[in-house]
């Protein structure tokens, strides 16, 4: 049987670590990345994982592996320069298939300035791939403008984690009618200044619930929770901490949760009634566990995902104008359930097209 070398997103932490910075570094600085690698590991037959940053023995890899897969995230942006990764790909003597490659900008009207290293990486990938699996139409257009046409829109492998073509999600919110405080929700979003207003709005709106904040990349919040730093050490107004009352600040710190193991994360979601926020994978794992989730759209990445899958969503600017009841009305999965089989088949066909033996 063919052996597959997987680069990019990992399936979990390689080793135990107590240091928050090291934990995040192993995940690619976002625990949500583990869902990508975890899903690829479940789907692709006979695969082993490598990091682009590893000290790689190319002679051994080329001798022992037949093809490479890149478990991809939002690698294409104005900030990224993938030159060092391009060096790795040039040394791989095998077909290469990116799965779930994404481009990221604040809006579709923004121009992504592709760095020289990233353009070289993309050209190598295109030459060595039957086709490149991208997250959505926006990313496909970015690649097309670079002259890269061998592209298939497939979404993210995490959407097919269940390996079930008939997968569907119950649209009914099952909240505790007797005691709202017993209904647990997960709120999430990146701690950027342009997004904190909707995160604060969600905590205000759903404050009577058992509301937890899902951490995927907020290292300072985790360090504050662990007592490694104090609020006085923040040089900027991180997550509006300096403007919060002491009880509000402590509530956010005490209710922050994070997961460096996808299976542990899945178990925790069995205690959650619904999930809401701007983290795509924070909601995706909830949805895979059939926990209702609402996506807050704030950039092209969240936009193209929610468009492709017809996930329940609302733009962050619209969200803050809605009442709680209007927000809860948006938790509906009819559109997703209707198109899921076609999306599943499309992903399966993409893997076959690229000669990747899989379990779908």
């Amino acid at each position: 049987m063919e052996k597959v070398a997987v680069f990019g997103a990992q399936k979990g932490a390689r080793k135990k670590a107590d240091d928050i910075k090291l934990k995040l570094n192993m995940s690619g600085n976002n625990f949500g990345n583990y869902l990508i690698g975890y899903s690829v590991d479940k789907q692709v037959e006979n695969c082993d994982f490598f990091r682009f940053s590893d000290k790689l023995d190319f002679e051994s890899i080329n001798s022992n592996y037949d093809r490479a897969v890149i478990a991809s995230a939002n690698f294409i942006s104005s900030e990224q320069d993938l030159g060092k990764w391009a060096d790795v790909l040039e040394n791989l003597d095998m077909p290469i298939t990116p799965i779930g490659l994404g481009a990221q900008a604040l809006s579709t009207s923004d121009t992504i300035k592709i760095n020289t290293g990233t353009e070289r990486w993309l050209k190598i990938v295109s030459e060595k791939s039957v086709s490149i699996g991208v997250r959505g139409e926006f990313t496909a257009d970015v690649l097309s403008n670079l002259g890269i046409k061998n592209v298939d829109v497939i979404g993210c492998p995490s959407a097919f984690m269940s390996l079930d073509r008939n997968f569907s999600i119950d649209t009914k919110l099952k909240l505790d009618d007797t005691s709202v405080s017993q209904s647990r929700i997960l709120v999430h979003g990146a701690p950027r200044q342009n997004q904190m207003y909707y995160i604060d709005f969600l905590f205000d709106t759903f404050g009577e619930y058992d509301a937890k904040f899902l951490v995927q990349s907020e290292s300072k919040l985790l360090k504050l929770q662990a007592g490694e730093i104090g609020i006085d050490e923040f040089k900027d107004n991180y997550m509006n901490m300096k403007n919060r009352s002491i009880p509000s600040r402590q509530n956010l710190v005490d209710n922050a949760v994070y997961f460096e193991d996808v299976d542990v994360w899945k178990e925790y979601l069995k205690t959650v009634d619904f999930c809401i926020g701007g983290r795509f994978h924070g909601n995706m794992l909830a949805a895979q566990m059939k926990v209702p989730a609402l996506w807050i759209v704030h950039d092209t990445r969240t936009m193209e995902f929610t468009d492709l899958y017809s996930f329940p969503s609302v733009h962050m600017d619209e969200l803050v104008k809605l009442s709680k009841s209007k927000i809860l009305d948006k938790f509906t999965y009819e559109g997703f359930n209707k198109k899921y089989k076609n999306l599943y088949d499309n992903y399966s066909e993409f893997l076959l097209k690229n000669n990747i033996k899989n379990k779908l």
Side-chain angles (χ1 to χ4, degrees), residues 10-231:
Q10 301 296 294
K11 61 182 178 179
R14 288 184 168 190
K15 59 184 179 182
K16 288 281 187 180
D18 295 322
D19 181 73
I20 295 298
K21 185 177 180 179
L22 179 57
K23 286 182 179 184
L24 275 167
N25 178 265
M26 286 191 293
S27 73
N29 293 314
N30 188 325
F31 293 124
N33 290 336
Y34 283 146
L35 270 67
I36 304 169
Y38 180 92
S39 300
V40 168
D41 186 52
K42 288 174 69 73
Q43 295 157 2
V44 175
E45 298 274 10
N46 205 24
C47 63
D48 295 316
F49 282 72
F50 299 87
R51 295 182 67 178
F52 280 111
S53 59
D54 287 344
K55 186 175 181 180
L56 299 167
D57 181 343
F58 292 109
E59 183 178 352
S60 175
I61 293 172
N62 288 325
S63 297
N64 291 293
Y65 294 88
D66 302 282
R67 64 183 61 254
V69 159
I70 303 175
S72 306
N74 50 317
F75 291 163
I76 308 170
S77 71
S78 298
E79 292 75 32
Q80 290 270 37
D81 189 331
L82 304 181
K84 290 184 179 180
W85 292 7
D87 295 341
V88 172
L89 299 189
E90 284 183 332
N91 283 286
L92 294 179
D93 185 20
M94 62 187 69
I96 299 170
T97 306
I99 299 179
L101 181 63
Q104 186 168 5
L106 287 178
S107 72
T108 54
S109 61
D110 290 342
T111 300
I112 298 178
K113 297 177 181 178
I114 306 294
N115 288 300
T116 304
T118 298
E119 187 167 359
R120 184 164 69 93
W121 185 86
L122 287 168
K123 296 292 185 183
I124 295 169
V125 161
S126 178
E127 291 168 2
K128 294 192 175 188
S129 300
V130 174
S131 69
I132 299 172
V134 300
R135 290 180 164 187
E137 295 296 342
F138 176 76
T139 302
D141 288 343
V142 170
L143 295 190
S144 179
N145 290 335
L146 291 171
I148 297 173
K149 307 295 184 182
N150 56 327
V151 170
D152 285 308
V153 174
I154 60 167
C156 180
S158 61
F160 312 105
M161 186 188 300
S162 67
L163 304 180
D164 180 5
R165 183 174 180 269
N166 297 308
F167 179 83
S168 64
I169 302 170
D170 190 346
T171 60
K172 295 179 181 177
L173 281 171
K174 298 172 182 176
L175 302 178
D176 192 313
D177 295 325
T178 58
S179 175
V180 169
S181 64
Q182 297 303 308
S183 296
R184 175 172 291 172
I185 71 168
L186 272 183
V187 173
H188 51 79
R192 302 185 184 99
Q193 287 303 313
N194 72 324
Q195 293 182 48
M196 277 309 303
Y197 76 101
Y198 86 73
I199 296 172
D200 287 338
F201 170 81
L202 289 173
F203 272 105
D204 290 341
T205 303
F206 295 100
E208 75 271 34
Y209 292 79
D210 178 18
K212 305 295 183 183
F213 184 74
L214 176 63
V215 174
Q216 288 189 198
S217 66
E218 296 84 348
S219 59
K220 289 182 182 178
L221 181 59
L222 293 181
K223 287 182 178 181
L224 190 63
Q225 186 185 62
E228 295 179 13
I229 59 174
I231 196 71

Side-chain angles (χ1 to χ4, degrees), residues 23 34 120 124 244 266 270 296 305 311:
K23 286 182 179 184
Y34 283 146
R120 184 164 69 93
I124 295 169
R244 296 178 186 278
K266 289 166 71 173
K270 293 178 181 179
I296 309 304
F305 269 139
F311 281 134

